[in-house]
Each structure stands twice: as structure tokens, then as C-alpha cells.
């Protein structure tokens, strides 16, 4: 299920309203943008106006936070229909959401809640990804999340959990390097074991982001997307490219959003690392 | 392990922890780094509270400025306890805030009906901001209405319009806030005034309606034809002035970009 002519390529950024005008003014050295799907599931007005114009000039990826693929509640069919409608409008190169649940019994915590890494959860998530792929008529792309709790009855390492879901559902992966790093600290594993444990040809996109220390002094790292990418994450990014090749990569920034030029400079760092690593190994 | 919870049970336990501090989740949490189950769970509890209160603070920025951050946060927390989100998107979380406020005193000091109106006004601004797009009738389009069709002309109002009857002066608070000025004194009148909010371009506008205009626009919205719109003005104007007032209102509505279409049965030539 590859899309040869229409796969993402190169280096992208998350699309943020602060940057609309600058992006449309031209001279923006970005190969593609990732949109937060929920921001555009609105009837009309300014967001959709800018989205249509940016979609004319740049390839887009659609990234959602509301699918709740791991919830015990039924899939939200009307949300899926809205996603499919938005996809017809902007023709994204890929559609992704997170390996998490956001609520149960009809409620929504509006957060990416962690799943127990069990066979039950593998089958549950894989079955629902199948339904999503049917509804969207395309391969779905699943992102790993940061987490702050693990469960005593988890029987799989996180990378085994992801791999089993990929194998059973046929979905692809959006690998968030920062989330791998954050979890390696929060749950005490070797991030390289994680990378080594993933299926080599399933990674379609990479997220790079910053994190913070838990202000409560627990030593936990919190996935806040409000800082530049740190050195440890850059190093892990290089290790990921050695394993997965030239995967399209982007910077995610959701809070304390700097001027576009700062993000473009950060993206150049990713380009530098990628040109160094991929000329050596692939 | 025989007592491993099902996925459903675990999710209910974790949700109950986040929403009400329920303890049953804690024994399920693995703690290999010596952080402690309680402190790990607290990351989700704090994130939930902060994220939703921040979202409400953005949607109700003027109410927050009026009450002060501390009182607003207490109010938001107690609203969320009564109305945990059932929406897929955070943008809807404040849907019931105004109605909830009108039933729940903010605290001893606050003027509760006034706060409810302010919340309703800010919410309506947000709704208008990304309401559906539509065509816009311009003044030149009036020339396309044949004289014999005027009495059966119907106006289609555009979707990016909201009506709000207000007893207080919420709009003055919103204006002061956007000008970085100090908040005005609260006023309250027995008879409400009808306010109209609408989008023009990407900007949200609002104004108070004269009572004759409110009546005429309200019958127009319900699908009345121009003859009936004129009739609705008879309570305010002498018969010979009604047509002129109706025509000037129509011009005003068109130049405000309120009208999406002029409907009249086109007779085939
Ligand atoms: Fe991410």
C-alpha cells in the first residue's frame, strides 16, 4: 500500500496560524506542512480559507488527536466522516493519529492516555485500525506517544506492542523521536533497543520536538512541545535515520511558538543530520 | 496474572483517577524508576485540569479578566466537574458555560446574571468566527429584482450570524478588554436589548438593534416575504413611512453583509 507519486518527501513543519501570512508570502524553505486535523473540522471562516490556499502550494499531512484508537468505546463515526471529508478537501499525503485512548463511557479527557501493552490491546487496536483504514480508504499512520505511567500487567515492551499492531493491522508508523526519548527516561529502557525493535520499512514520517522536566521534581520528562529539540533527541534522530533511511521529518511546536525563521533554522539542523547520516549508510 | 483488569476496566479506573482522584488505578501502575504511582498519575490529573482550564480561559478571556485568574480558574474547575467534556474537540468544551453560570453563583461577590451574559456573548463571538461560509448579496443585486417581484422577495440570512438579548453591558466589557482599557461599571436594564453578531470577511462585528429592526430582521429570518417584513414595521411607523424604513433596513443589511441570497420566483421569459 505505498503511494509512489504522492509520498511525503523531505522536511516539514507543523502548520500554525501565527505563520499563515508568512507562508503565503512565499520563500518558505519547507517541503510540506502537517496540519492538526481538528483545527480545520470547523464549518468555515479564517482557518479553512488559509488551509485551502496553503494546500494549493504545499503537500500536507493530516495529524489528529481525537481518534481515540485504543478506547473501549465504539469508534466515533461522525468524527471519521469529518476526517474523510477534510481529506477530500486537502488531499493529504498521509493521515495519522496517536496510539492512545482519550476517554471512555462517552467522555473526553482531551489527552493522549497510555494503553497497557497487552495482547488484548494489540487485537483491540489492530481491529479498529482496520475499521479506520476502511473508512478512510487508505493506510493509516500510527504515532507513538509519551507516557508517564506504565501498567503492571503489560507483557510487551513498547516497541513490541507497536510492532505487533503494525503486523496485525497493516498500518504504518509515525515515529516521534522525542516520545521515544521521553519514555526511555520515564520508564527506564534503552532507546536504541526501541529503534532496533521496530519494523524497518513501516516508518513513514518522523516527529522531532522538545520536552520539559516535570516541575514537581519527579525526574519525569513531560512532552510539552514548547522547547527546541535537545541534543539527546538529535542523536537519537541520527540513530533512527541509520536504521530507517531518509524518512520525511518535521519539527512539532505547539506552545511558545517562535517566529517561522527560528523553526526553519531548527529544521536545517535536521537536514544537516540527515545529509550526514544517509550519505554514509544508505 | 489472574487479577489483571480488562482494558475497559483499566480505562474506567484511569479516567476516574483523572476526573475525581479515584484510588483504584494506583495498584495497576508499574513504578520501575522509583517515582511513585501517585506522582505518575498526577501528571495526567494536572495536565487535564490545566489544559481544559486554559482552553476555557482562551474562549472566555473577558470573563477571566473581569473575575481575575484565580476566581476564573475556580469557576472553570467547578464547571468542568459538572460538565466533563463529551466533545471530540476542545473547542466545544465551553458550550454550556453560560447556561451553567446562570444557575450557579460564581461566588458571593460576582454578579451572576451579568457573568452569564458575558459568557454567552463571548461564546457567540467564537461561533460566528468559524461559522459556515456563504455567498454575500451586494447592493447591485437589488437591481435584479423585478418591480412586480418585490412583495414576494425573501431574504436568506447568512449562517455566520447570532442574536443575543442582553440586559447588561457585556459588549462594553469586550470592547474595553480588546482596547486594554479598564472594565466599565456593570449596568442592567429590565427590558433586554437585542444584539446582532456577524462575520464580515474574517472579522466578527456586533451592534445593538433598534426594536423595529429587531422585529423586521426576526420575521425575515423566519422566511417572511418583503410584504410581511413591511407589515412587521407597522407597530413602529405610520403606514406611509413603512416602505421607506423597510428599504433603508434592507440596504443596511446588505451593506453589513448579512444577506446570503435574494429569493423570488423567477418567471420564465
Ligand atoms: Fe508527535
Amino acid at each position: 500500500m505505498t503511494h509512489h507519486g504522492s509520498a511525503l518527501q523531505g522536511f516539514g513543519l507543523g502548520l500554525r496560524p501565527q505563520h499563515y501570512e508568512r507562508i503565503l508570502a512565499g520563500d518558505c524553505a519547507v517541503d510540506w506542512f502537517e496540519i492538526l486535523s481538528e483545527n480545520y473540522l470547523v464549518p468555515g471562516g479564517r482557518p479553512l480559507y488559509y488551509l485551502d490556499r496553503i494546500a494549493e502550494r504545499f503537500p500536507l499531512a493530516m495529524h489528529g488527536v481525537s481518534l481515540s484508537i485504543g478506547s473501549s468505546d465504539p469508534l466515533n463515526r461522525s468524527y471519521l466522516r469529518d476526517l474523510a471529508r477534510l481529506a477530500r478537501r486537502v488531499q493529504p499525503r498521509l493521515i495519522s493519529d496517536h496510539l492512545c485512548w482519550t476517554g471512555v463511557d462517552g467522555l473526553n479527557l482531551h489527552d493522549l492516555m497510555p494503553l497497557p501493552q497487552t495482547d488484548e490491546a494489540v487485537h483491540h487496536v489492530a481491529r479498529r485500525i482496520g475499521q479506520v483504514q476502511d473508512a478512510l480508504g487508505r493506510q493509516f499512520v500510527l504515532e507513538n506517544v509519551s507516557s508517564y505511567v506504565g501498567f503492571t500487567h503489560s507483557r510487551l515492551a513498547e516497541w513490541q506492542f507497536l510492532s505487533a499492531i503494525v503486523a496485525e493491522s497493516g498500518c504504518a508508523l509515525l515515529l516521534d523521536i522525542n516520545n521515544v526519548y521521553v519514555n526511555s527516561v520515564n520508564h527506564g529502557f534503552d532507546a536504541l533497543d526501541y529503534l532496533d525493535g521496530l519494523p524497518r520499512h513501516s516508518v513513514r514520517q518522523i516527529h522531532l520536538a522538545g520536552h520539559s522536566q516535570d516541575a514537581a521534581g519527579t525526574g519525569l520528562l513531560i512532552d510539552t512541545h514548547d522547547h527546541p529539540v535537545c541534543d539527546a533527541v538529535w542523536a537519537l534522530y541520527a540513530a533512527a535515520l541509520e536504521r530507517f533511511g531518509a524518512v520525511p521529518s518535521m519539527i512539532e511546536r505547539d506552545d511558545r511558538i517562535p517566529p517561522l525563521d527560528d523553526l526553519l533554522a531548527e529544521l536545517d539542523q535536521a537536514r544537516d543530520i540527515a545529509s550526514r547520516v544517509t550519505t554514509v549508510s544508505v | 496474572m489472574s487479577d489483571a483488569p480488562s482494558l475497559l476496566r483499566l480505562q474506567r479506573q484511569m479516567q476516574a483517577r483523572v476526573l475525581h482522584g479515584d484510588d483504584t488505578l494506583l495498584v495497576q501502575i508499574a513504578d520501575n524508576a522509583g517515582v511513585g504511582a501517585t506522582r505518575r498519575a498526577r501528571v495526567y490529573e494536572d495536565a487535564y485540569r490545566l489544559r481544559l482550564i486554559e482552553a476555557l480561559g482562551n474562549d472566555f478571556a473577558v470573563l477571566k479578566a473581569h473575575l481575575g485568574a484565580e476566581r476564573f480558574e475556580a469557576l472553570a474547575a467547578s464547571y468542568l466537574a459538572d460538565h466533563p467534556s463529551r466533545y471530540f474537540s476542545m473547542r466545544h468544551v465551553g458550550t454550556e458555560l453560560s447556561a451553567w453560570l446562570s444557575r450557579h453563583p460564581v461566588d458571593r461577590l460576582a454578579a451572576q446574571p451579568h457573568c452569564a451574559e458575558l459568557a454567552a456573548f463571548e461564546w457567540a463571538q467564537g461561533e460566528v468566527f468559524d461559522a459556515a461560509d456563504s455567498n454575500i448579496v451586494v447592493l447591485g443585486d437589488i437591481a435584479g429584482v423585478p418591480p412586480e417581484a418585490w412583495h414576494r422577495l425573501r431574504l436568506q440570512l447568512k449562517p455566520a450570524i447570532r442574536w443575543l438579548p442582553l440586559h447588561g453591558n457585556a459588549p462594553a466589557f469586550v470592547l474595553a478588554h480588546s482596547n486594554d482599557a479598564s472594565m466599565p461599571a456593570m449596568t442592567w436594564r429590565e427590558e433586554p436589548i437585542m444584539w446582532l453578531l456577524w462575520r464580515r470577511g474574517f472579522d466578527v462585528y456586533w451592534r445593538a438593534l433598534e426594536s423595529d429592526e429587531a422585529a423586521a430582521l426576526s420575521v425575515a429570518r423566519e422566511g417572511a416575504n418583503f410584504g410581511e417584513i413591511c407589515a412587521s414595521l407597522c407597530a413602529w411607523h405610520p403606514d406611509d413611512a413603512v416602505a421607506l424604513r423597510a428599504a433603508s433596513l434592507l440596504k443596511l443589511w446588505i451593506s453589513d453583509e448579512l444577506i446570503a441570497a435574494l429569493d423570488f420566483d423567477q418567471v420564465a421569459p
Side-chain angles (χ1 to χ4, degrees):
Chain A
M1 253 201 276
T2 50
H3 307 263
H4 292 290
S6 60
L8 281 182
Q9 275 172 14
F11 297 84
L13 285 178
L15 179 64
R16 302 292 175 259
Q18 291 88 332
H19 303 142
Y20 285 160
E21 289 293 347
R22 169 68 207 286
I23 290 164
L24 288 177
D27 78 316
C28 178
V30 172
D31 299 315
W32 46 273
F33 285 99
E34 182 186 81
I35 65 166
L36 189 57
S37 306
E38 284 73 10
N39 288 354
Y40 304 95
L41 298 180
V42 296
R46 184 174 187 267
L48 287 170
Y49 171 88
Y50 280 100
L51 179 64
D52 286 342
R53 267 136 204 89
I54 290 166
E56 283 168 9
R57 298 178 203 194
F58 293 92
L60 296 182
M62 272 171 55
H63 185 52
V65 294
S66 306
L67 188 59
S68 200
I69 195 72
S71 174
S72 299
D73 280 1
L75 280 171
N76 182 338
R77 289 283 164 185
S78 88
Y79 172 71
L80 268 178
R81 276 193 298 276
D82 291 347
L83 268 190
R85 189 177 314 120
L86 184 63
R88 284 195 294 278
R89 182 171 186 143
V90 303
Q91 300 292 320
R93 302 293 169 96
L94 55 82
I95 302 178
S96 62
D97 202 309
H98 303 81
L99 177 53
C100 69
W101 58 285
T102 64
V104 69
D105 295 326
L107 298 180
N108 196 339
L109 303 173
H110 300 288
D111 200 356
L112 310 175
M113 307 301 284
L115 287 161
Q117 290 149 192
T118 61
D119 290 332
E120 180 197 13
V122 168
H123 303 320
H124 178 71
V125 170
R127 188 169 59 247
R128 287 158 64 94
I129 289 176
Q131 294 169 15
V132 170
Q133 294 183 141
D134 289 346
L136 298 177
R138 63 198 298 161
Q139 188 183 31
F140 176 71
V141 182
L142 187 66
E143 180 181 6
N144 59 302
V145 299
S146 285
S147 63
Y148 314 102
V149 308
F151 302 102
T152 54
H153 63 294
S154 285
R155 286 291 167 269
L156 301 167
E158 189 183 332
W159 55 91
Q160 295 168 328
F161 184 53
L162 270 169
S163 302
I165 291 168
V166 168
E168 196 165 314
S169 71
C171 73
L173 291 177
L174 192 181
L175 181 61
D176 188 311
I177 304 286
N178 180 60
N179 291 345
V180 173
Y181 177 72
V182 163
N183 284 1
S184 74
V185 171
N186 290 351
H187 305 298
F189 59 73
D190 185 336
L192 293 179
D193 288 343
Y194 193 120
L195 298 184
D196 286 335
L198 292 179
R200 264 173 133 29
H201 302 292
S202 293
V203 182
R204 294 279 183 284
Q205 188 188 341
I206 283 179
H207 273 175
L208 295 158
H211 56 258
S212 325
Q213 289 279 342
D214 184 4
T218 54
L220 293 173
L221 298 183
I222 313 286
D223 179 35
T224 43
H225 295 185
D226 60 353
H227 282 76
V229 178
C230 74
D231 289 345
V233 169
W234 284 125
L236 197 57
Y237 176 53
L241 294 181
E242 282 166 11
R243 286 159 177 78
F244 307 118
V247 177
S249 306
M250 60 163 273
I251 312 277
E252 264 190 316
R253 186 63 90 84
D254 296 311
D255 221 336
R256 293 204 259 168
I257 295 176
L260 190 63
D261 289 327
D262 295 12
L263 292 173
L264 291 171
E266 211 179 355
L267 198 56
D268 280 339
Q269 273 182 270
R271 285 194 172 94
D272 287 349
I273 292 171
S275 65
R276 223 173 332 113
V277 171
T278 47
T279 48
V280 175
S281 66
V282 184
Chain B
M1 238 186 294
S2 57
D3 59 347
S6 68
L7 184 61
L8 173 62
R9 189 149 71 91
L10 183 77
Q11 290 178 341
R12 285 186 170 148
Q13 288 174 349
M14 190 156 186
Q15 182 163 288
R17 179 71 192 179
V18 170
L19 292 178
H20 336 101
D22 187 280
D23 274 346
T24 54
L25 173 76
L26 297 178
V27 296
Q28 319 288 359
I29 294 179
D31 188 30
N32 39 8
V35 174
T38 312
R39 300 178 84 181
R40 284 182 179 273
R42 182 171 301 151
V43 175
Y44 291 97
E45 298 167 55
D46 290 348
Y48 170 77
R49 213 178 40 251
L50 290 176
R51 179 178 297 112
L52 292 193
I53 289 176
E54 186 189 1
L56 290 171
N58 291 334
D59 288 343
F60 301 98
V62 185
L63 180 62
K64 181 176 172 181
H66 171 53
L67 292 173
E70 206 172 309
R71 278 164 83 201
F72 179 82
E73 278 158 27
L75 170 153
S78 115
Y79 165 71
L80 288 169
D82 283 3
H83 287 280
S85 173
R86 296 186 163 271
Y87 300 103
F88 81 89
S89 169
M90 280 222 292
R91 64 190 280 273
H92 296 119
V93 168
T95 303
E96 292 92 2
L97 184 72
S98 173
W100 179 87
L101 266 173
S102 62
R103 298 188 309 266
H104 294 77
V106 177
D107 55 42
R108 279 176 297 121
L109 302 170
Q112 172 194 345
H114 188 275
C115 289
E117 281 198 349
L118 183 51
F121 192 82
E122 291 195 84
W123 193 252
Q125 284 182 294
E127 287 186 325
V128 167
F129 174 77
D130 53 19
D133 299 310
S134 61
N135 255 336
I136 293 158
V137 167
V138 296
L139 282 172
D141 296 335
I142 294 188
V145 183
E148 71 278 7
W150 267 93
H151 67 280
R152 58 173 192 268
L153 173 69
R154 292 173 203 279
L155 310 175
Q156 221 181 82
L157 303 197
K158 71 178 184 191
I161 291 180
R162 292 293 180 279
W163 311 66
L164 215 52
L166 296 178
H167 296 268
N169 56 340
F173 280 69
V174 172
L175 191 64
H177 184 258
S178 70
N179 292 338
D180 260 333
S182 55
M183 293 289 177
M186 277 182 256
T187 62
W188 194 262
R189 42 187 294 154
E190 216 39 58
E191 273 301 300
I193 293 180
M194 188 61 80
W195 286 77
L196 184 74
L197 300 93
W198 75 102
R199 189 174 76 226
R200 193 172 160 175
F202 298 132
D203 296 321
V204 178
Y205 291 76
W206 57 87
R207 63 180 171 85
L209 298 175
E210 300 285 346
S211 43
D212 67 333
E213 184 184 7
L217 199 52
S218 139
V219 298
R221 178 176 58 160
E222 280 149 26
N225 63 37
F226 202 69
E228 291 159 338
I229 293 172
C230 289
S232 74
L233 290 166
C234 288
W236 284 272
H237 304 278
D239 288 357
D240 58 349
V242 157
L244 199 63
R245 176 61 174 157
S248 79
L249 284 176
L250 178 59
K251 246 172 105 174
L252 175 63
W253 298 341
I254 290 175
S255 54
D256 274 347
E257 299 185 0
L258 300 180
I259 312 294
L262 302 173
D263 297 333
F264 52 92
D265 311 319
Q266 201 104 41
V267 183

